[in-house]
Amino acid sequence: MAFSLRQLQYFVAVAENGSVSSAAHILSISQSTVTEALRELELDLGFKLLERHARGADLTLKGHHFLRHARKILGDVADARRALSGSEAATLEGRLALGVTPLVAGYVFSDLLARFRRAFPGVAVEAVEDAGDYLEHLLVGGELDVAVMVLPPGRRSAALQTEPVQVSPYRVWMPLGHPALAEDKVSLRDLAAEPHVLLTIDEIAEASEIVWRRLGIRPPVAFRTRSVEAVRSLVATGAGVAVLPDLTYRPWSLEGDKIEARQLAEELPAIEVATAWRRGSPLSPAATGFLSIAGTRQPVRLRHGGAIA
């Protein structure tokens, strides 16, 4: 028996929402329908995709890898429908100059670029990664058509027009077996004596430091890095804890060690990923097409406890 698109949709919904009950609610179907579809999918594949527990469901290592393929299959089908619904996309030609900030380059851009190329195969894309301030300079100067960037919290440039792509709250990452994992929410005050690993791109490290100042704490810093994979590996092996946005979360390090994420007890503004272009500037058909693709991106969502992304 070959698996169906509906089974893939149900699996992705459970993975993104963290439980069968949440997925069933969003899909407006019964839990038993979702459970049966997952059972048939796992039987067809020959391996378990999810580990069920009291808090919901966690992806297995194979489930984590299969999730990427499931999303791609569903995206390909959606893009095929888009392409066949009209001839303009297939015949559009030209050039699109894009800019992305570092976090976007690693966790958002590849999906957007792949979908755009499938929908508009005749458009040549030129992309550059840099800091948000420099991308704004390129947009205002007309050297970029569109940028996808993490917007600085509380600051908006009057020179740019923006549209949200994804809002991603922060969570605290801890190694498997950490005592704080017994709680659904964790306060950084309770982790004040533990080493922290800071990610120094797109103002992510500043988010932790804002909470530290608010609480009057100064935890030891084990490592500062621009690499999310370095953060993942260090946390997984017990070198420290980290506060990162959901969009970067994956439950396994490259070495195969498990990482858990929990909600923060403290309030911390979520990061906002957005498309940006020069205010008042006319958009090319290619830029308009890219904004359309970005506006329909399905963001990764994490739930409580053993979050999934």
Side-chain angles (χ1 to χ4, degrees):
M1 178 185 66
F3 57 74
S4 67
L5 291 177
R6 182 167 298 170
Q7 289 170 342
L8 295 183
Q9 290 168 341
Y10 292 177
F11 166 61
V12 171
V14 173
E16 291 183 342
N17 292 280
S19 70
V20 170
S21 60
S22 297
H25 176 74
I26 288 173
L27 294 167
S28 299
I29 58 177
S30 68
Q31 292 187 39
S32 60
T33 300
V34 177
T35 299
E36 180 62 19
L38 291 175
R39 186 187 70 81
E40 292 177 352
L41 179 59
E42 289 178 329
L43 282 174
D44 181 57
L45 294 172
F47 53 80
K48 291 191 68 174
L49 297 170
L50 297 157
E51 293 286 354
R52 282 75 164 177
H53 54 74
R55 287 193 175 96
D58 284 342
L59 287 168
T60 63
L61 181 57
K62 288 186 176 180
H64 173 64
H65 292 315
F66 185 72
L67 178 60
R68 178 170 56 88
H69 295 290
R71 285 184 176 135
K72 184 179 184 302
I73 291 169
L74 294 174
D76 286 345
V77 172
D79 292 337
R81 286 174 174 160
R82 182 198 303 271
L84 293 172
S85 65
S87 59
E88 289 187 10
T91 59
L92 181 64
E93 297 182 347
R95 170 185 170 274
L96 180 66
L98 290 174
V100 295
T101 53
L103 207 64
V104 171
Y107 293 91
V108 179
F109 182 57
S110 62
D111 172 64
L112 292 179
L113 181 61
R115 293 180 57 212
F116 178 78
R117 283 178 164 163
R118 288 194 295 267
F120 302 94
V123 176
V125 178
E126 299 174 6
V128 61
E129 174 193 327
D130 219 308
D133 290 344
Y134 187 64
L135 294 184
E136 179 179 346
H137 166 74
L138 295 179
L139 287 167
V140 172
E143 297 178 61
L144 291 179
D145 298 309
V146 181
V148 189
M149 58 176 65
V150 174
L151 298 179
R155 304 200 307 271
R156 295 294 183 270
S157 170
L160 300 182
Q161 178 132 2
T162 62
E163 288 289 340
V165 173
Q166 180 172 350
V167 175
S168 183
Y170 283 91
R171 303 205 182 215
V172 57
W173 294 9
M174 293 171 285
L176 191 66
H178 194 286
L181 291 174
E183 305 296 329
D184 287 338
K185 291 186 178 182
V186 177
S187 171
L188 290 187
R189 190 186 301 278
D190 296 331
L191 302 176
E194 300 204 25
H196 283 237
V197 182
L198 299 182
L199 182 67
T200 59
I201 57 174
D202 282 325
E203 303 184 27
I204 301 302
E206 286 83 346
S208 292
E209 293 168 341
I210 287 171
V211 179
W212 295 353
R213 288 194 295 271
R214 189 188 306 157
L215 297 176
I217 61 175
R218 186 66 188 179
V221 176
F223 195 57
R224 294 177 184 267
T225 178
R226 295 177 58 85
S227 167
V228 177
E229 291 306 326
V231 176
R232 205 184 318 278
S233 294
L234 289 166
V235 170
T237 55
V241 298
V243 176
L244 270 74
D246 282 354
L247 68 88
T248 62
Y249 178 78
R250 304 292 183 271
W252 307 93
S253 71
L254 291 176
E255 297 80 14
D257 297 312
K258 186 77 183 292
I259 301 157
E260 296 278 358
R262 290 291 185 270
Q263 293 180 4
L264 284 167
E266 291 78 22
E267 290 188 8
L268 186 60
I271 71 165
E272 183 178 355
V273 177
T275 49
W277 62 98
R278 186 174 61 182
R279 187 179 296 277
S281 176
L283 291 169
S284 68
T288 301
F290 183 82
L291 293 176
S292 173
I293 294 290
T296 60
R297 182 174 188 269
Q298 293 296 315
V300 171
R301 294 186 295 273
L302 296 181
R303 305 295 291 182
H304 65 279
I308 298 172

